[in-house]
Amino acid sequence: MLWGKTARYAIAFFLIISLNFAIPRAMPGDTLTNLMGEDVHLSEDAMLELKAKVGVDQPIHIQFLNYWRDLFHLDLGYSYHLHAPVSSLIRERIKWTMLLVAPSIIMGAFVGTLLGALAGWRRKEAKSRLQTTGFLLIYCTPPYFLSMLALYFLGFELGWFPLKGFYQSGTIGDIAHHLFLPVLIMTLFSASRNYMIMRGSVIQERQMLYASYARAKGLSSDQILFRHIFKNAALPIITLVALDFGFIFSGALFIEIVFSMHGMGNLIYDSLLCRDYPVLQGTFAVITIMVILANLLADWTYGLVDPRVRWQR
Amino acid sequence: MALLDIRNLSVSFETPQGLVKAATQVSLALEYNETLALVGETGCGKSVVVNAIMKLLPANAKVDGRVIYRGRDLLSLDEKEMARIRGQDIAIIFQNPSLALNPVYKISEQVSESMILKKRSSRSRAEEISSQLLQRLGLKGRESSYPFQLSGGMNQRAMIACSVVLGPKIIIADEPTKGLDQSMVGQVLGEIRKAKEVNGASLLLITHDMEVARQISDKVAVMYCGEVMEVGKTEEVLQAPSHPYTQALLDSLPERGFLPIPGPSPSMIDPPEGCRFHPRCPWRRDLCSIERPVQKSTTTGWVRCCR
Amino acid sequence: MAEVIRALRSAEEKIRARWSLLGPLIFSSFILAALLADLISPYDPWKRFNPYQMPGWEHLLGTNDMGHDILSELIFGSRVSLAVGFSAAILSATLGTAVGLFAGYFRGMADEVLMGITDIFLMIPQIPLIIVLAAFLRPSFWLMALLMGLLWWTALARIVRSRTLQVREMGFVAGAKAIGFSDNHVIFSDVLPNTLYVIAPKFMLTVASAMIAEASISFLGLSDPSMKSWGTMISYAFSRGGFINGMWWWYLPPGLCITVFVLSLVMMAGILEERDIEPVKVD
Ligand SMILES: Nc1ncnc2c1ncn2[C@@H]1O[C@H](COP(=O)(O)OP(=O)(O)OP(=O)(O)O)[C@@H](O)[C@H]1O
Ligand SMILES: [Mg+2]
C-alpha cells in the first residue's frame, strides 16, 4: 500500500522533472536561448564554448541523461543574468522563504483545524457564523491582494509595520518586526483553507453513530469533539493539507513580492522581467521536489496515526 | 415507586415530508431488578423511545411528557446534568456496534475512557478494570484491537463492556441480537444478563424477536405505530395476549406457521384515526376507526383495545 | 414558549433563505455587467483623460497613470476575468468528468491507469508550472485558460469516479445494461445525469480558483498587454507606483471585485453541496 504510493511519487517526480527538461527544448524559439535566457549577449567564441557546455549539440538522450546526472549533483544550471549557479541562488533565497512559510503553515494548520473544528461543532452559534464568514472572505481573496490591503492599512495608514521586508542584515528583533505582517497574512491564508476543510469534515463526522454513542456514554460536548470527532475528522486532512502545499507555497511567493522580501518569490519576479529561464526552471524543479516530499511525508504520517492503514500493511 | 417511570412520552420529528409522530403518549414503568422487553415491528418507534429517555435525539425532534428517574424528570434536565446520568445511572447499548465504536481507538481505550473521565480513576486502574471486564466478556487477548479488526459479535461485546463499565442502574439494550447468528444470540444475552445481575440493575431490552423476549424478560410491552398497545407479565402476554396485534405478532413466528400480518405498515405522518391498528385488525368494529381506545387492566398489566 | 421558539426558527429560516439568494444575486449581476459592458460603461476603457485623478463625479472611481477611467476598465475587465475563469473551468470539467466516468464505469485496468495519471497531475505545482510556460510563450489569456483547464481536472475526476462507482451499482443502470444498451448509451443517459449534482458545485469552485490564479499570474505581468483583466489592473497599480503612492482607488476595486465574485461562487457551491448532507437519523 505505502510502497505503491511511494512508487507513484517516484513516477510523478520522474515525469514532472522530465517535463521540466522538455519545456525549453519544445518551446518555440532558439533552444540555446531557451536554455540560457533572453538578452544574454556574448561573443562568438564564448557562444561556442557555451554551446558545448550546455550540451545542445549532443543527441537528446545524452542531454537527458546529463540533465538527470546534474540534478543529482544539485546542479540546476547557471544564471547568465545574475552570474551565479542557480542552485546557490535558490539556496540563498529559500532560507528566507522558509522563514515565512514554515511558521505560517504550522500555525495555519493549528489555527485552521482548531477553529474549523469548533465552527463545525457549534455551527449554529452566531460566533461561529461570523468567524466562518471571516475565513470565507480570506479564502476568496488572492493572497497578494490580502497582503496589499494589510500593508496599506497597517503599514501606510497606521504606520505599525515597515513597508518593505528587507531584513537580511537586521537583528532578530528587526527580522521579527519585518516578518510579522507577512507571516500573519500567510497564516491567515493557510488557516482559511484548513478551516474550511476541517469545518466540513466535522459536520460530516458529527453525524456518525460513534459521536452519538460518545454522548450516550456521558461525555460532555467538548469531550465528544476533542476526544472522538477531532481525530476522525483530522485524519483525512493530513493528506488534503499536503495536496494543498503547492498552492499555499505559491501563495507565499506572491506575498513575498508584495512585501519586497528577499525570498524565492522575488527571485522569480525578477527572473520573469528579464526572462532568466534557468532560474525559472530551477525554482520549478525545487518546488516540485518540495511538494512531492510534503505528500510523501503526509502519507507516512497518515500511516502512523491511522490504525486502519497501519494494520493493513 | 418504579425505578424509571415514563409518562405520556410523545416524540415527533419535523421533516420536509411532514411531522413524523414517532411516539405517542407512551407510558411504561421499569421496576428495580426487572427486565422489560419492548417489542414491535421495525419502524414502530422503539429506538426513538429509548433515545428520548437518554435525550439523544437530533435537533428536529420535539419531545413531550415526563421520564421520572429517582424522583427527577430527565426531560427537564440540562445537557450537563444529563451527561452525569448517562453512563453512570442509565447506559445504552446501541443497535449497530461496528458503527457505534470509534474506529480510531482501541477497544480497551474506549472502555476505560468512561472510568477516567467520569470516575476520575487513574489510567492504570481504569485499564486494569477494563481489561478484566473485556476478559469476562470473552475478549481475552483482544483488548488492544481496533473495532475494524473484530467481528460484529466481538464489537457487540466490546460495546456491552463500554456501556456497563460504570455499573449503571439501568441498562438499555437496543436490539443487541440483531444480525447475530443463533449461537451468538444466547451468548450475548447471557453477557447482558450477567452485567445486569452483577450491578443489580434493571434492563430495558428492545427486540423484535419474541423468542428473545420470552427467554429473558419479566415483563413485555408491545408497541405499534408509536403507541404501546399492551403491557404485562411475559407469560401472560405471550401465552394469552389481549391485543389483536400481539396475537398477530405471535402468529407470524415461524413455529406458529409464519402467518403474515395483513395490510401495509401504517404511515407515521398520517397515522390511522381511532385505534391505530384498526385497518389491519381482524376484530375491527365501527367504533375502532373513530375512538382511540383507553387503557384497560388485564391480569398483570393493561391493554389498549376496545374489545 | 414553544410558539416563540417556532417563530424564531421560521424567522431564522427566512433569513437563511435570503442569505442563500445573495450568492446567485451577486453572480448574476456580475454576469450581466460583463455582457452589457458596452452599454453601462461610462467610457471606452482605453480613452485617455488626466492621469491620477481621485474618484469624483467625472470619474466615479478615478483614473490611473495612463488616464484610463477605472470604472470602465473594471467593467470591461470583468469580461476577460470571467471568460478566463469559465473557459478554464469548462475545459477542466469536461476532462475531469470524462476521466472520472470512464475510470468509474469500466474500472479494472482503465481505472488503475487513469487514477495513476490523476495522482501524478495532483503532484504538479500548478501555478509555478503555468508561470514557467507563460514565460516561454507569448502572453495570452487564452493560453492561461488552456493551461489551467489542462491542469485542474484532477479533483473533479476523483469525485466523479467515486460517484460513478456508486451509480453503476444502482438497479436502473444494471437494468439498462441487461436490456442491452451500449456502454456509451448507459454512461451518457443513465450515469452522467446522476453525477451532475456533484459536478455542479465543483465546477463553481473551479471557476473561482481559476479566477484567483488568473489574477495571480497577471499580477506577475504575464498577461496580454492589449487586454485588461482585474488581475492586470492590480498588477499595473503595483508595478507602476499606484500602490506605493497610496492610490487605493486604482487597485482596491479590481481586488474587491475578485473577492466578491469568488465569494458568490463559493456560496453557491456551498448551497448545492449542503443539499445532500443535511438529513440525519439516529438509531
Ligand atoms: N431523526 C429522525 N427524523 C425523522 N424521522 C425519524 C428520525 N428518527 C427516526 N425517525 C422515524 O421514526 C420512526 C421510528 O423509528 P425507530 O428508529 O424508533 O424504529 P424502531 O422501532 O427502532 O425500528 P427498528 O426495529 O428498525 O430499529 C420511523 O418511522 C423513523 O423513520
Ligand atoms: Mg431501532
Side-chain angles (χ1 to χ4, degrees):
Chain A
M1 185 47 195
L2 198 60
W3 286 116
K5 283 228 156 152
T6 311
R8 267 191 191 181
Y9 289 134
I11 297 173
F13 172 70
F14 175 77
L15 289 178
I16 300 173
I17 297 292
S18 302
L19 176 72
N20 203 29
F21 166 84
I23 286 171
R25 291 165 176 83
M27 286 293 133
D30 173 33
T31 304
L32 190 61
T33 314
N34 286 350
L35 284 170
M36 296 195 317
E38 309 270 350
D39 301 327
V40 178
H41 298 293
L42 295 165
S43 68
E44 228 15 60
D45 288 350
M47 207 66 163
L48 279 177
E49 196 183 321
L50 254 175
K51 239 180 183 161
K53 198 168 142 205
V54 175
V56 277
D57 294 337
Q58 283 160 336
I60 199 87
H61 65 274
I62 302 285
Q63 289 183 40
F64 187 64
L65 288 178
N66 286 344
Y67 173 81
W68 277 99
R69 190 200 56 210
D70 290 348
L71 193 74
F72 280 115
H73 290 104
L74 301 181
D75 178 357
L76 293 170
Y78 190 84
S79 164
Y80 296 91
H81 277 279
L82 298 171
H83 302 289
V86 173
S87 56
S88 66
L89 283 171
I90 292 179
R91 203 176 315 138
E92 143 80 6
R93 298 294 191 102
I94 204 167
K95 296 189 293 225
W96 297 108
T97 300
M98 278 332 230
L99 206 56
L100 167 66
V101 170
S104 314
I105 284 196
I106 293 170
M107 287 194 293
F110 270 106
V111 173
T113 45
L114 193 68
L115 294 182
L118 284 168
W121 188 235
R122 307 178 183 152
R123 79 184 150 135
K124 297 272 157 75
E125 283 178 21
K127 206 182 102 201
S128 331
R129 290 201 175 157
L130 204 67
Q131 212 177 52
T132 304
T133 313
F135 276 109
L136 193 62
L137 279 171
I138 297 174
Y139 182 86
C140 291
T141 308
Y144 72 86
F145 183 64
L146 206 60
S147 311
M148 287 169 78
L149 286 179
L151 199 53
Y152 179 73
F153 287 109
L154 304 178
F156 275 122
E157 293 286 326
L158 298 173
W160 290 355
F161 295 100
L163 297 181
K164 290 215 166 213
F166 282 115
Y167 44 72
Q168 297 132 284
S169 56
T171 59
I172 303 259
D174 192 37
I175 290 180
H177 189 209
H178 279 89
L179 262 179
F180 184 84
L181 206 49
V183 167
L184 177 72
I185 300 292
M186 184 68 198
T187 304
L188 285 176
F189 166 59
S190 87
S192 75
R193 303 185 69 82
N194 298 330
Y195 181 94
M196 292 302 160
I197 307 178
M198 188 67 179
R199 179 173 171 274
S201 187
V202 167
I203 288 175
Q204 283 205 346
E205 289 292 327
R206 62 181 291 162
Q207 301 177 17
M208 298 289 155
L209 195 60
Y210 71 79
S212 191
Y213 185 58
R215 188 182 297 276
K217 281 164 83 178
L219 304 201
S220 71
S221 175
D222 283 345
Q223 287 168 338
I224 301 170
L225 174 62
F226 287 112
R227 299 185 66 99
H228 284 269
I229 292 187
F230 195 87
K231 190 171 175 190
N232 281 285
L235 281 175
I237 288 213
I238 298 176
T239 357
L240 288 177
V241 168
L243 281 177
D244 216 29
F245 178 80
F247 190 80
I248 293 197
F249 193 87
S250 313
L253 304 178
F254 289 92
I255 293 177
E256 282 183 345
I257 295 172
V258 174
F259 284 97
S260 332
M261 294 162 79
H262 195 61
M264 281 178 58
N266 266 309
L267 182 64
I268 294 176
Y269 194 52
D270 295 339
S271 314
L272 278 174
L273 292 180
C274 52
R275 296 292 190 263
D276 191 349
Y277 300 130
V279 173
L280 289 176
Q281 291 212 279
T283 49
F284 177 68
V286 170
I287 295 173
T288 302
I289 293 172
M290 287 201 298
V291 167
I292 289 180
L293 285 180
N295 281 280
L296 200 58
L297 191 70
D299 274 350
W300 277 345
T301 324
Y302 190 89
L304 285 181
V305 288
D306 189 333
R308 284 162 294 191
V309 179
R310 197 187 327 150
W311 289 95
Q312 264 161 28
R313 261 193 270 161
Chain B
M1 182 72 195
L3 178 58
L4 185 75
D5 197 357
I6 305 167
R7 293 188 202 153
N8 289 327
L9 178 72
S10 297
V11 181
S12 53
F13 295 100
E14 274 184 51
T15 66
Q17 291 78 37
L19 201 65
V20 178
K21 297 156 196 86
T24 309
Q25 300 198 337
V26 169
S27 293
L28 285 173
L30 183 65
E31 305 292 337
Y32 286 88
N33 287 316
E34 181 185 59
T35 297
L36 170 65
L38 187 57
V39 301
E41 66 190 355
T42 184
C44 70
K46 305 180 298 287
S47 299
V48 165
V49 167
V50 296
N51 280 307
I53 298 171
M54 297 290 278
K55 296 187 50 149
L56 292 173
L57 292 171
N60 67 340
K62 188 170 163 293
V63 183
D64 273 329
R66 297 209 285 170
V67 177
I68 314 281
Y69 171 73
R70 290 191 166 166
R72 288 206 288 174
D73 181 6
L74 298 183
L75 297 184
S76 68
L77 298 186
D78 63 24
E79 182 60 24
K80 226 180 189 162
E81 292 170 310
M82 196 61 213
R84 223 169 289 141
I85 291 197
R86 292 186 193 124
Q88 304 214 61
D89 291 81
I90 309 179
I92 187 166
I93 300 164
F94 273 1
Q95 215 167 336
N96 193 335
S98 304
L99 292 177
L101 292 170
N102 194 323
V104 297
Y105 293 108
K106 296 173 185 161
I107 56 171
S108 63
E109 286 172 332
Q110 302 194 44
V111 178
S112 55
E113 176 182 45
S114 311
M115 304 274 309
I116 296 167
L117 293 180
K118 306 213 58 170
K119 285 265 168 85
R120 307 243 160 263
S121 313
S122 69
R123 181 168 294 272
S124 57
R125 175 99 188 100
E127 261 161 27
E128 194 186 309
I129 291 182
S130 70
S131 81
Q132 278 172 10
L133 183 56
L134 286 170
Q135 283 178 21
R136 276 216 307 279
L137 285 162
L139 289 171
K140 192 172 187 338
R142 297 301 204 139
E143 295 91 337
S144 45
S145 303
Y146 291 89
F148 71 91
Q149 296 172 304
L150 302 176
S151 67
M154 288 174 174
N155 279 330
Q156 181 68 269
R157 282 178 278 160
M159 185 159 63
I160 293 174
C162 281
S163 293
V164 304
V165 65
L166 295 179
K169 289 287 161 248
I170 299 175
I171 300 171
I172 300 174
D174 192 348
E175 308 218 30
T177 54
K178 192 181 184 181
L180 296 183
D181 57 62
Q182 213 47 49
S183 60
M184 287 301 302
V185 170
Q187 202 184 341
V188 165
L189 286 180
E191 304 298 351
I192 294 176
R193 187 153 29 184
K194 219 185 298 170
K196 167 187 182 280
E197 271 150 24
V198 168
N199 296 316
S202 304
L203 175 64
L204 173 54
L205 178 86
I206 294 183
T207 181
H208 47 219
D209 186 340
M210 300 299 257
E211 193 46 47
V212 168
R214 186 197 318 278
Q215 274 176 31
I216 194 171
S217 65
D218 307 312
K219 256 183 5 196
V220 172
V222 181
M223 247 186 118
Y224 179 77
C225 190
E227 281 188 354
V228 177
M229 292 304 191
E230 175 171 14
V231 183
K233 282 253 154 50
T234 306
E235 309 83 64
E236 188 195 358
V237 174
L238 299 189
Q239 299 305 329
S242 310
H243 198 283
Y245 175 63
T246 318
Q247 184 65 54
L249 267 185
L250 292 169
D251 288 342
S252 68
L253 289 178
E255 62 270 25
R256 302 263 191 103
F258 266 133
L259 270 180
I261 306 177
S265 294
S267 148
M268 286 205 141
I269 294 175
D270 293 307
E273 297 278 317
C275 173
R276 292 199 172 168
F277 189 57
H278 84 260
R280 302 166 83 179
C281 182
W283 305 327
R284 175 180 51 232
R285 291 179 300 173
D286 291 345
L287 188 65
C288 295
S289 56
I290 302 164
E291 206 167 273
R292 182 175 182 231
V294 289
Q295 294 179 15
K296 283 196 302 195
S297 293
T298 57
T299 325
T300 61
W302 54 262
V303 65
R304 193 185 285 282
C305 179
C306 299
R307 193 172 52 117
Chain C
M1 191 57 202
E3 269 78 73
V4 176
I5 292 177
R6 202 160 297 164
L8 278 177
R9 208 181 273 172
S10 76
E12 192 198 306
E13 245 146 50
K14 267 186 205 141
I15 293 175
R16 265 230 247 164
R18 295 258 166 86
W19 266 104
S20 61
L21 278 182
L22 193 63
L25 207 71
I26 300 176
F27 179 80
S28 39
S29 35
F30 271 93
I31 300 280
L32 217 63
L35 290 177
L36 302 179
D38 299 298
L39 293 178
I40 57 173
S41 163
Y43 305 101
D44 175 349
W46 297 98
K47 191 169 173 197
R48 300 177 72 154
F49 302 91
N50 278 340
Y52 303 124
Q53 289 185 54
M54 288 266 274
W57 286 116
E58 281 288 297
H59 301 280
L60 287 176
L61 292 176
T63 58
N64 66 9
D65 63 330
M66 308 288 286
H68 298 152
D69 178 62
I70 306 255
L71 180 59
S72 310
E73 277 193 310
L74 202 61
I75 294 172
F76 275 96
S78 70
R79 284 190 169 174
V80 179
S81 293
L82 294 181
V84 173
F86 275 94
S87 20
I90 289 171
L91 178 56
S92 80
T94 314
L95 276 174
T97 309
V99 170
L101 278 177
F102 204 77
Y105 186 82
F106 291 106
R107 297 193 292 191
M109 208 44 206
D111 188 22
E112 287 281 315
V113 172
L114 287 175
M115 285 301 112
I117 295 174
T118 310
D119 279 358
I120 290 168
F121 266 80
L122 275 170
M123 289 300 111
I124 299 179
Q126 297 156 343
I127 293 189
L129 179 61
I130 296 178
I131 292 175
V132 170
L133 287 172
F136 278 109
L137 297 162
R138 214 153 40 86
S140 139
F141 284 107
W142 298 120
L143 174 74
M144 228 189 268
L146 179 74
L147 291 177
M148 287 192 247
L150 291 177
L151 288 173
W152 259 314
W153 50 269
T154 48
L156 193 66
R158 285 182 154 191
I159 295 174
V160 171
R161 171 182 171 268
S162 55
R163 178 70 189 150
T164 306
L165 285 175
Q166 282 174 9
V167 172
R168 83 191 293 285
E169 300 306 325
M170 293 178 183
F172 62 94
V173 175
K177 277 170 85 173
I179 294 173
F181 283 119
S182 70
D183 285 335
N184 257 334
H185 182 90
V186 177
I187 291 181
F188 287 106
S189 39
D190 294 318
V191 182
L192 182 61
N194 282 291
T195 54
L196 281 181
Y197 82 95
V198 299
I199 298 176
K202 202 69 206 168
F203 177 79
M204 308 266 177
L205 293 180
T206 312
V207 178
S209 43
M211 287 182 63
I212 290 191
E214 180 273 319
S216 304
I217 292 158
S218 299
F219 179 73
L220 297 177
L222 287 173
S223 58
D224 182 351
S226 71
M227 280 163 116
K228 284 177 183 176
S229 74
W230 292 335
T232 29
M233 290 174 72
I234 309 178
S235 162
Y236 287 146
F238 186 77
S239 64
R240 298 198 201 142
F243 176 64
I244 213 76
N245 293 313
M247 297 175 188
W248 51 267
W249 64 88
W250 188 352
Y251 61 87
L252 225 47
L256 293 180
C257 278
I258 296 173
T259 303
V260 171
F261 187 73
V262 167
L263 186 68
S264 79
L265 288 165
V266 173
M267 278 163 76
M268 288 196 299
I271 293 166
L272 289 177
E273 260 172 1
E274 231 158 69
R275 264 203 205 141
D276 59 320
I277 327 179
E278 275 309 326
V280 280
K281 181 182 186 302
V282 287
D283 221 332

